[in-house]
């Protein structure tokens, strides 16, 4: 180590003082010059490696450097002002405490950030996100927060003596500014949580608990580290980089908070009592709101388990219930809140992985399907069907197997769209490998029986009606830890008559479900019974069953349980009358009669269009399938668009009519979830203004009920002869408005389709031709002479279903009661009846129910006798037709 | 010739040129003080000591024409590097232009006057 003599020190100080004065006189910075010269003197002396520095050594170096050596003076010279070097050089070790503190200043924020990122990706419950508030609403926030451990890591390295490469200093200065802004920002947000965190810190130290309490302390620890080394990357006048970083980060954080303020503002407007303000709020949210922020609120989970929220969160004061928020979300964005994909495909399984499932099933035992629950899957799907073209009927059995990988029991719930006109006529549950049949009774009775058994955690399954051609199925419990549960629905369906000689059949699909389809490999379908059965697509294989009947079967893609398939088509013999024994009331016979009428074309067809998000393309495709002209008819269109109703005046359906439709569509603003009720009402009124008119309603799914269907129901109930509403839903999904239009004779569902052009084309073709094909089923005591006898249980059920609908349409309590009794008698799920399978005979008895007997249960495979009878009937019919032609 | 006259003139000339030479040297890349001093010494007649150079560099820094940065060195004390700022580059360009024009003008004055 080098020692200095006192005289040498004095000499150096005098020389430097003098040089500093001279430099100041020339306009230079005296301190800087003194510092530079001092450094050079020290370097030169160090190079000489002297052990004791004397005045001669100092003089020699000063001369070498060109610094005048002051003359020796007796008087004590004025002490040279101790010059500070321009920048403090880094010291290798400034103490263990500082080193440890600097280590924590990057380590703790790093761990906190990593934990919160992991919690966000894997939905860990023990995280700041769940306990307090979400510190990472976006990945940009994570990037900003990451600057804190990065900058403090550089500072820690500096403290430990590792020089930071000089080329990174400008970047580090900017990052320092960013990190400071971020630390202050989160420090303010966590202020309310600080007491809890400090208590937790004591708990960590004393009880050795987890590190969770350190998460809220992370911004303060990071801030300490930043302040401890804020000079280490800096030089005089180099604070601009830090200021730029600080300003930029603050502005960015404020800008991101702006979206929260915008969302809060939009929510306040959307939740207003004033309809005009609601519309403004919805449109504001659609334009400026933060969709993911609103979706987060819709889940209904408390944002702070301890009641401490984010002080800077403007949505903190939003007191709306999750149901209200979900409705507002749907109106603004036209999608369920639990779909994370903003684009949102309506069909197929493309959105399956973007669906957020929850761990806790809030809807268990309730009346709604609700949100998806984690761990519950549809493992297998099988449809067995038998068609009877002669009787224009079919029977399908849909067997579903659910699997549950969660650690708790689950209830599987789904809303199913039946083929148009279909009715559930059988329900079976497998209990310990044995099939148990359902009891059919009044809706409230079966529901009560189901809920009671669910609470006892036994095995029931329930099917009830929830709209035109829609049923809700609930089964519980699907056992946990890989357990499975299997149910079967039997559906009796009237075939759709395309002409006297052809018919079509659609398959049931899921509209809404709380289970995923990720485990479903395929949808196995087997349809038999028609000589000429055709299906689109290459997945079908033709075969014959053991009874010699022709069949089509295929292992279809899993998406077909949502999207359905193009209708199966078949030829039918154009017979006029068939009789079937009634399997329930054995003294009765069901007569099925076919008639072809010439029907006047509708005078006016009003199209009610849904301009919700994603509907533009499907509607354009559907309308392209319309005929270019319809002689004698008028066309009008009404649209639910932009939270309002747009409409056109009726005009003749001639050349140019479809161009007008195209222009009308082009002027619509598609977006959000539109309220179709006012548009449908307007369309009905337009149609009712002219006799023999009808409404075609083209719409997508509608997960929320925005306004009630009461006004429309009133019109349709009070005008039984009024315009009919034909409903075509494009895309799988529930529609809450459709669920309210049950039991109306003037309403007819044409099905849920992936694409409407085919359905619309068929629908128009028959009506343009002016023909209508009627099937009338009546129950008589004696068969009429000459009628062909067919042994089929389905005709009776279809007769009963029609009777129930007729009774309900009268809207008289006595008739409604009769309808319920008839439905229960014929084992049908209707608006006034349901089906429930209970585990034991005792449970049935306690509920006052009796299950369907196996002898009356409908089955898919026909008896050989039935086939022979059908062939015989066809032969007799053929003979009669031949004789009639001979006579003419 | 008076030797004092030449000496005085050289001193004045060095004073005028020193700043230009320092800026030109820095335009080739950043340097620390000692290194800069060595480069300036290569200019004939322009010997300069560090005692003269550091005040000049300080003036240039205060004028915003150069910036400095400290670099830690594993084999000695920290070094202060100097480099030109954009303003420094612009000033250097102007100074070099002026210098060139003055030199050309001075050379022209040596030629005989043209007769009208």
């Amino acid at each position: 180590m080098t020692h200095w003599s006192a005289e040498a020190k004095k000499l150096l100080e005098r020389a430097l003082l003098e040089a500093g004065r001279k430099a100041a006189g020339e306009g230079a910075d005296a301190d800087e010059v003194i510092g530079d010269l001092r450094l050079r003197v020290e370097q030169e002396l160090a190079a000489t490696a002297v052990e004791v520095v004397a005045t001669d050594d100092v003089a020699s170096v000063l001369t070498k450097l060109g610094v005048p050596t002051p003359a020796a003076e007796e008087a004590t010279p004025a002490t040279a002002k101790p010059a500070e070097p321009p920048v403090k050089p880094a010291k290798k070790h400034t103490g263990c405490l500082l080193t440890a503190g600097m280590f924590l200043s990057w380590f703790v924020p790093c761990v906190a950030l990593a934990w919160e990122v992991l919690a966000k990706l894997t939905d860990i419950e023990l995280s700041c996100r769940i306990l307090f508030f979400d510190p990472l609403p976006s990945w940009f926030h994570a990037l900003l927060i990451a600057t804190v451990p990065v900058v403090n890591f550089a500072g820690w390295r500096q403290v430990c003596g590792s020089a930071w490469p000089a080329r990174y200093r400008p970047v580090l200065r900017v990052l320092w500014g960013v990190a400071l802004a971020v630390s202050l920002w989160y420090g303010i947000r966590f202020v309310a949580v600080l007491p809890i965190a400090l208590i937790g810190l004591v708990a960590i130290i004393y009880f050795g608990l987890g590190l969770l309490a350190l998460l809220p302390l992370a911004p303060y620890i990071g801030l300490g580290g930043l302040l401890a080394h804020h000079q280490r990357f800096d030089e005089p006048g180099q604070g601009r980089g830090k200021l730029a970083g600080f300003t930029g980060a603050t502005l960015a954080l404020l800008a991101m908070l702006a979206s929260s303020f915008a969302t809060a503002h939009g929510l306040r407007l959307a939740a207003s009592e004033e309809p005009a303000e609601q519309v403004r709020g919805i449109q504001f949210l659609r334009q400026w709101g933060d969709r993911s922020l609103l979706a987060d609120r819709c889940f209904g989970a408390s944002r702070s388990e301890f009641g401490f929220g984010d002080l800077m969160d403007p949505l903190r004061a939003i007191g709306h219930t999750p149901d209200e928020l979900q409705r507002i979300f749907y109106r603004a964005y036209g999608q369920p809140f639990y779909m994370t994909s903003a684009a949102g495909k309506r069909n197929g399984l493309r959105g399956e992985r973007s669906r957020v499932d929850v761990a806790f099933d809030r809807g268990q035992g309730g009346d709604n399907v609700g949100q998806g629950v984690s761990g519950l899957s549809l493992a297998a799907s099988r449809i067995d069907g038998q068609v009877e073209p002669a009787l224009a009927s079919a029977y399908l059995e849909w067997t579903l197997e659910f699997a549950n990988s969660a650690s708790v029991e689950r209830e599987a719930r789904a809303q199913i769209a039946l083929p148009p006109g279909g009715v559930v006529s059988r329900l079976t549950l497998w209990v310990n490998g044995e099939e148990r049949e359902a009891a059919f009774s009044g809706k409230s009775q079966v529901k009560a029986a189901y809920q009671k058994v669910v609470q006892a955690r036994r095995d029931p399954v329930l099917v009830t009606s929830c709209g035109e051609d829609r049923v809700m199925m609930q089964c519980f419990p699907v056992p946990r830890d890989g357990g499975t549960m299997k149910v079967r629905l039997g559906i009796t369906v009237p075939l759709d008559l395309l002409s006297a000689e052809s018919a079509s059949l659609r398959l049931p699909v899921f509209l809404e479900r709380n289970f995923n389809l990720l485990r479903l490999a395929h949808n196995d379908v087997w349809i038999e019974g028609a000589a000429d059965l055709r299906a689109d697509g290459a997945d079908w294989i033709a075969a014959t069953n053991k009874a010699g009947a022709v069949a089509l079967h295929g292992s279809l893609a899993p998406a077909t349980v949502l999207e359905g398939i193009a209708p199966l088509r078949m030829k039918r013999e154009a017979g006029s009358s068939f009789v079937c024994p009634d399997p329930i009331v054995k003294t009765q016979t069901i007569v099925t009669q076919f008639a072809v009428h010439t029907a006047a074309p509708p005078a006016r067809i009003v199209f009610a269009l849904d301009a919700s998000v994603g509907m533009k393309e499907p509607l354009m495709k559907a309308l392209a399938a319309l005929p270019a002209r319809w002689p004698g008819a008028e066309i009008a269109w009404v649209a639910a668009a932009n939270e309002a109703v747009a409409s056109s005046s009726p005009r003749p359906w001639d050349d140019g009519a479809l161009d007008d439709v195209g222009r009308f569509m082009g002027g619509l603003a598609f977006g959000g979830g539109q309220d179709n009720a006012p548009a449908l009402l307007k369309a009905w009124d337009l149609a009712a203004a002219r006799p023999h008119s009808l409404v075609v309603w083209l719409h997508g799914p509608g997960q929320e009920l925005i306004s009630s269907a009461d006004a429309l129901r009133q019109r349709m109930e009070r005008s039984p002869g009024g315009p009919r509403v034909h409903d075509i839903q494009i895309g799988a999904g529930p529609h809450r408005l459709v669920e309210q239009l049950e039991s109306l004779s003037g309403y007819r569902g044409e099905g849920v389709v992936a694409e409407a052009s085919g359905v619309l084309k068929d629908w128009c073709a028959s009506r343009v031709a002016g023909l209508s094909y009627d099937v009338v089923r009546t129950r008589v005591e004696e068969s009429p002479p000459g009628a062909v006898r067919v042994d089929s249980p389905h005709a009776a059920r279809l007769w009963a279903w029609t009777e129930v609908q007729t009774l309900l349409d009268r809207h008289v309590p006595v008739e409604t009661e009769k309808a319920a009794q008839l439905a229960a008698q014929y084992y049908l799920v209707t608006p006034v009846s349901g089906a429930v399978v209970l585990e034991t005979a005792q449970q049935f008895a306690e509920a006052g129910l009796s299950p369907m007997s196996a002898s009356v249960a409908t089955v898919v495979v026909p008896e050989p006798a039935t086939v022979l009878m059908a062939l015989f009937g066809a032969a007799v019919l053929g003979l009669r037709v031949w004789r009639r032609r001979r006579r003419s | 010739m008076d030797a004092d006259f030449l000496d005085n003139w050289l001193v004045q000339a060095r004073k005028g040129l020193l700043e230009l030479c320092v800026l030109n040297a820095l335009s080739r890349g950043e340097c620390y003080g000692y290194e800069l001093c060595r480069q300036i010494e290569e200019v004939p007649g322009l010997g300069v000591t560090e005692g003269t150079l550091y005040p000049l560099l300080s003036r240039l820094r205060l004028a915003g024409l150069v910036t400095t940065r400290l670099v830690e060195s594993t084999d000695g004390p920290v070094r202060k590097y100097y480099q030109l700022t954009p303003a420094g580059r612009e000033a250097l360009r102007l100074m070099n232009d002026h210098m060139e024009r003055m030199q050309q003008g001075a050379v022209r004055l040596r030629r005989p006057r043209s007769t009208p």
Side-chain angles (χ1 to χ4, degrees), chain A residues 446-733:
Chain A
V446 297
K447 267 189 168 176
Y450 176 81
Q451 276 154 7
K452 185 177 175 185
V453 176
V454 163
Q455 282 163 14
R457 308 197 84 79
R458 309 304 293 184
D459 290 347
V461 60
L462 173 72
V463 173
T464 52
S465 169
C466 62
E468 184 81 11
D469 301 327
R470 292 165 196 231
V471 295
M472 176 154 157
M473 178 214 70
Q474 302 168 249
C475 58
F476 179 86
V478 184
R480 63 183 184 174
D481 298 327
T484 60
M485 190 172 191
K486 191 165 155 187
V487 302
R488 176 175 59 209
L489 278 81
I491 306 166
T492 304
V493 182
L495 294 180
D496 196 10
L497 290 179
L498 304 174
S499 68
E501 292 84 26
S502 64
S504 70
L505 169 70
R506 294 211 210 115
L507 297 183
V509 294
F510 289 118
L511 292 180
E512 195 180 11
R513 57 202 157 85
N514 74 336
F515 46 85
N516 65 61
L517 304 176
L518 297 173
R519 283 184 58 172
L520 186 64
H522 29 75
N523 182 20
D524 297 309
V525 180
W526 179 291
I527 309 291
E528 64 183 33
D532 177 24
L533 195 57
R534 284 167 288 128
D536 292 342
D539 297 326
W540 296 92
I541 302 170
T544 49
N545 68 1
K546 55 186 178 184
V550 174
L552 269 187
H553 67 96
S555 291
L556 308 182
T560 53
V561 300
L562 300 178
E563 297 171 343
I565 58 171
L568 299 164
R569 294 174 190 264
M570 65 210 80
K571 287 206 171 80
R572 60 178 299 275
E573 295 293 331
S576 62
S577 179
F578 297 90
V579 294
C580 309
D582 188 333
I584 308 297
V585 182
K586 297 193 188 300
T587 57
Q588 301 289 316
T589 303
I590 306 297
V591 178
T592 305
Q593 288 173 301
F594 294 87
V596 179
H597 299 295
T598 303
R604 181 182 291 174
I605 302 169
V606 182
F607 287 90
L609 307 174
D610 176 14
S612 296
V613 67
M615 284 301 297
K616 185 167 186 177
E617 195 188 314
L619 282 179
M620 297 297 278
K621 273 190 189 168
L623 294 174
L626 292 176
R629 63 191 73 79
W630 195 318
E634 285 183 343
I635 184 173
W637 40 93
V638 177
N642 213 26
E643 285 67 50
V645 176
S647 63
S648 73
S649 302
R651 58 155 289 165
W653 192 325
D654 52 19
D655 294 332
L658 294 189
D659 290 337
D660 274 358
V661 175
R663 275 192 288 275
F664 177 77
M665 294 272 294
L668 294 178
F670 284 79
Q674 299 300 320
D675 183 4
N676 279 223
L680 203 49
L681 197 63
K682 171 91 180 177
W684 194 91
D685 287 340
L686 264 178
R690 194 161 174 201
H692 308 296
S693 299
L694 48 87
V695 175
V696 177
W697 179 27
L698 294 167
H699 63 93
Q703 283 85 4
E704 295 288 338
L705 183 69
I706 301 169
S707 59
S708 166
D710 282 348
L712 183 63
R713 281 198 69 96
Q714 182 185 48
R715 282 164 166 72
M716 295 176 79
E717 284 171 11
R718 295 295 176 196
S719 312
R724 213 159 201 220
V725 174
H726 295 262
D727 168 14
I728 302 175
Q729 177 169 324
I730 307 172

Side-chain angles (χ1 to χ4, degrees), chain A residues 23 26-29 32-33 36-37 39-40 43-44 64-67 86-87 89-90 158 163 166 169 235 238, chain B residues 33-34 38 49-52 54-59 61-62 67-72 74 76-80 82:
Chain A
E26 293 170 359
D29 183 340
E32 185 181 1
V33 172
D36 290 340
L37 289 172
L39 208 58
R40 283 295 293 129
Q43 284 174 355
E44 289 294 329
K64 184 180 175 186
L65 295 180
V67 178
V87 174
Q158 194 89 2
R169 282 174 187 255
E235 293 158 7
Q238 296 300 316
Chain B
Y34 180 74
R38 296 283 80 80
T49 62
E50 287 175 81
T52 307
Y54 286 122
L56 186 151
L57 288 169
S58 175
R59 285 200 305 277
R61 187 186 68 76
L62 289 174
T67 57
T68 61
R69 67 186 186 97
L70 283 184
V71 175
E72 304 281 351
T74 53
V78 63
R79 276 180 182 163
K80 185 192 273 189
Y82 296 85

Side-chain angles (χ1 to χ4, degrees), chain A residues 137 259-261 263-264 290-298 313 315:
Chain A
S259 69
S260 299
F261 280 103
T263 307
D290 187 324
R291 180 193 162 111
S292 58
L293 194 63
L294 188 52
D296 197 43
R297 291 291 187 271
C298 288
D313 179 12
L315 289 172

